[in-house]
């Protein structure tokens, strides 16, 4: 079994909290990027191609992986504020960043995790896997896809 952590890539629709495609679309439209909370919460983003590579390695090594649970994700941490800056740079957008407090964006009782960083030591040990693509490569691929598919 695999637990996927923030898999991102071209063609992702951006709903359900998928921040990278949402930020890219906002920037390409010249709209300010909307960051919820203070933007200092951190995440790790894994390119879909790296995720597929992990899945293939797991499937190709059943003697090492059968019945096991593996985390699949990048361990390169970035804050949401830093992500917004990467998106603005990658798109060349002159848009700004607008921070919306959680109490204005979500229902009462909403809680966000400050850090979400997967431990990938087990999958690395089993099949010698780790993500290889940087956040800039991920953003560049999403930007290229969005530019190609703008209406």
């Amino acid at each position: 079994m695999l637990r996927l952590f923030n898999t991102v890539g071209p063609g992702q629709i951006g709903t359900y909290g998928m921040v990278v495609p949402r930020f890219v679309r906002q920037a390409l439209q010249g709209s300010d990027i909307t960051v919820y909370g203070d933007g200092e919460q951190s995440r790790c983003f894994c390119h879909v191609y790296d995720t597929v590579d992990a899945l293939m390695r797991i499937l190709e090594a059943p003697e090492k992986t059968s019945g096991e649970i593996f985390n699949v994700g990048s361990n390169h941490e970035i804050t949401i504020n830093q992500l917004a800056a990467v998106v603005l740079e990658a798109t060349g957008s002159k848009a700004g960043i607008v921070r919306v407090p959680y109490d204005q964006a979500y229902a009462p009782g909403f809680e966000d995790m400050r850090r979400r960083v997967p431990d990938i030591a087990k999958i690395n040990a089993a099949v010698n896997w780790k993500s290889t693509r940087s956040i800039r490569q991920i953003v560049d691929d999403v930007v290229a896809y969005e530019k190609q598919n703008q209406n």
Side-chain angles (χ1 to χ4, degrees):
M1 178 194 314
L2 301 179
R3 285 190 294 239
L4 306 181
F5 287 77
N6 290 322
T7 299
V8 182
Q12 197 170 34
I13 59 174
T15 54
Y16 308 110
M18 295 178 182
V19 67
V20 173
R22 184 171 55 83
F23 279 10
V24 167
R25 286 190 193 113
Q26 287 176 324
L28 289 175
Q29 294 168 357
S31 301
D32 288 340
I33 291 180
T34 306
V35 171
Y36 297 112
D38 64 8
E40 290 304 304
Q41 61 274 36
S42 66
R43 301 292 183 266
C44 298
F45 297 94
C46 187
H47 197 291
V48 66
Y49 295 161
D50 285 333
T51 300
V52 170
D53 179 49
L55 175 60
M56 295 305 296
R57 289 179 190 221
I58 294 293
L59 291 172
E60 291 168 354
E63 69 285 354
K64 298 178 183 176
T65 63
S66 183
E68 296 294 326
I69 300 170
F70 297 97
N71 293 335
V72 176
S74 169
N75 56 3
H76 300 287
E77 195 170 0
I78 186 171
T79 69
I80 300 303
N81 285 326
Q82 291 168 328
L83 174 63
V86 169
V87 169
L88 289 173
E89 181 181 317
T91 59
S93 177
K94 301 298 182 206
I97 299 171
V98 174
R99 287 174 190 78
V100 177
Y102 287 136
D103 63 353
Q104 292 178 19
Y106 298 102
F110 173 80
E111 292 183 24
D112 192 13
M113 293 179 68
R114 292 302 286 177
R115 291 183 75 224
R116 193 171 300 144
V117 181
D119 180 351
I120 60 170
K122 185 175 177 182
I123 191 170
N124 183 269
V127 294
N128 193 32
W129 180 88
K130 65 179 180 177
S131 65
T132 61
R133 290 166 179 86
S134 70
I135 189 62
R136 181 57 191 253
Q137 289 171 303
I138 294 168
V139 169
D140 285 347
D141 283 356
V142 173
V143 168
Y145 176 86
E146 290 297 326
K147 284 182 175 180
Q148 182 179 7
N149 292 286
Q150 284 180 333
N151 294 330

